[in-house]
Structure formats: C-alpha cells, structure tokens
C-alpha cells in the first residue's frame, strides 16, 4: 500500500512538473523608473515605504533581450524567450524549465522518487535476508 502511494505521488508530481509552466514575466515597467544618481531604490512593499529600516536598498537589473526590468531572482530563458521568476534550471527529465510555479512539484517528485527507491531497497534487502536464512543453516551443517 505504501509503494502504491509513493508511485501515485511520484507520477502526479512528475506530470505537474512537466506540464505546469514555470512562470512568466510579470507586468514590468518598460521604462526605467526615476532613481537617485547611484541607481539604488529604497525597499517598499506595494505603495508603502518600510519604516524603521534605514539603508535598505535594491538595484534592479535590466534584461537586454526582453527590454524589461527583471524581478528579483529571475533569469532570462532562451527556450521560453522571456524572463522566468525564480528560475532554477532546465530539467532534461521533465523537458521543462523549473521555475516559480513548478518548483514545488519538481521537489516533491524528487522526494517521492527517492522514497520509492529506498522502499524498494528495503524490500529487496528483507527478501534477501529471508531467502538466505535456509541456505545459511544448510551451510553451517557442512
């Protein structure tokens, strides 16, 4: 019953990581926002400035291919032709880019795949112990 659950979870997460899009470009500004001379922007959440944190700035990056501002932790994908938020890597197993929207499915696929392999290894080891016991007793008599 445990092996069936591991298999179903692995297959579901594999299919979801294959067919779920990694996330696309957010609606970014095409024009550069006005910034101070040093190119740093104060950190804010929405329209509200964060109070109590002095000296916390970020410097946005510009994507030369998309001609847009990149979101933090995003990278341009040549396969998709756009910037992908939280792009991790291109997986040859799933034939998809692992990004913000499908990374959790990919991580669960890896976890359940390893749990299934560990379960199979334990079942093979226990079967070998039970199968070896009669032969061990026979060899001890010789």
């Amino acid at each position: 019953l445990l092996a069936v659950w591991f298999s179903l979870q692995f297959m579901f997460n594999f299919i979801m990581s294959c067919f779920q899009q990694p996330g696309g470009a957010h609606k970014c500004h095409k024009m550069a926002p006005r910034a101070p001379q040093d190119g740093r922007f104060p950190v804010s959440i929405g329209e509200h400035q964060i109070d109590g944190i002095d000296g916390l700035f970020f410097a946005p990056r510009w994507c030369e291919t998309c001609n847009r501002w990149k979101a933090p932790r995003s990278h341009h994908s040549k396969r998709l032709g756009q910037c992908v938020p939280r792009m991790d890597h291109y997986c040859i197993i799933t034939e998809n880019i692992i990004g913000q929207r499908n990374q959790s499915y990919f991580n669960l696929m890896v976890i359940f795949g390893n749990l299934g392999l560990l379960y199979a290894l334990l079942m093979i080891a226990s079967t070998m112990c039970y199968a070896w016991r009669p032969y061990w007793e026979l060899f001890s008599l010789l």
Side-chain angles (χ1 to χ4, degrees):
L1 189 62
L2 191 61
V4 172
W5 186 70
F6 285 156
S7 300
L8 289 176
Q9 287 293 323
F10 174 78
M11 289 305 297
F12 172 76
N13 289 300
F14 175 73
I15 290 169
M16 290 302 290
S17 65
C18 284
F19 296 113
Q20 180 77 27
Q21 291 296 318
H26 298 291
K27 297 194 184 234
C28 300
H29 301 289
K30 283 199 170 195
M31 294 178 54
R34 293 183 184 169
Q37 295 294 338
D38 57 1
R40 299 183 310 166
F41 297 91
V43 174
S44 62
I45 299 175
E47 297 176 1
H48 304 288
Q49 184 74 23
I50 298 176
D51 294 330
I53 304 176
D54 295 329
L56 186 59
F57 293 96
F58 76 98
R61 297 177 300 152
W62 180 260
C63 181
E64 297 292 335
T65 310
C66 294
N67 292 325
R68 293 181 183 265
W69 288 108
K70 288 184 180 183
R73 295 182 59 198
S74 67
H75 301 283
H76 186 80
S77 168
K78 292 179 183 178
R79 291 185 184 269
L80 289 179
Q82 65 183 8
C83 290
V84 177
R86 278 182 39 203
M87 180 176 164
D88 190 32
H89 67 284
Y90 176 75
C91 180
I92 59 172
I93 305 297
T94 60
E95 289 290 324
N96 199 1
I97 294 171
I98 306 302
Q100 182 177 9
R101 293 184 65 202
N102 62 356
Q103 189 170 24
S104 59
Y105 294 120
F106 178 78
N107 290 338
L108 287 173
M109 177 192 75
V110 170
I111 289 170
F112 282 113
N114 286 326
L115 286 175
L117 289 173
L118 180 65
Y119 181 77
L121 182 67
L122 290 175
M123 290 296 108
I124 290 172
S126 66
T127 304
M128 291 299 289
C129 286
Y130 289 128
W132 185 255
R133 188 175 301 153
Y135 296 112
W136 186 259
E137 291 171 1
L138 179 66
F139 289 133
S140 68
L141 295 175
L142 295 176

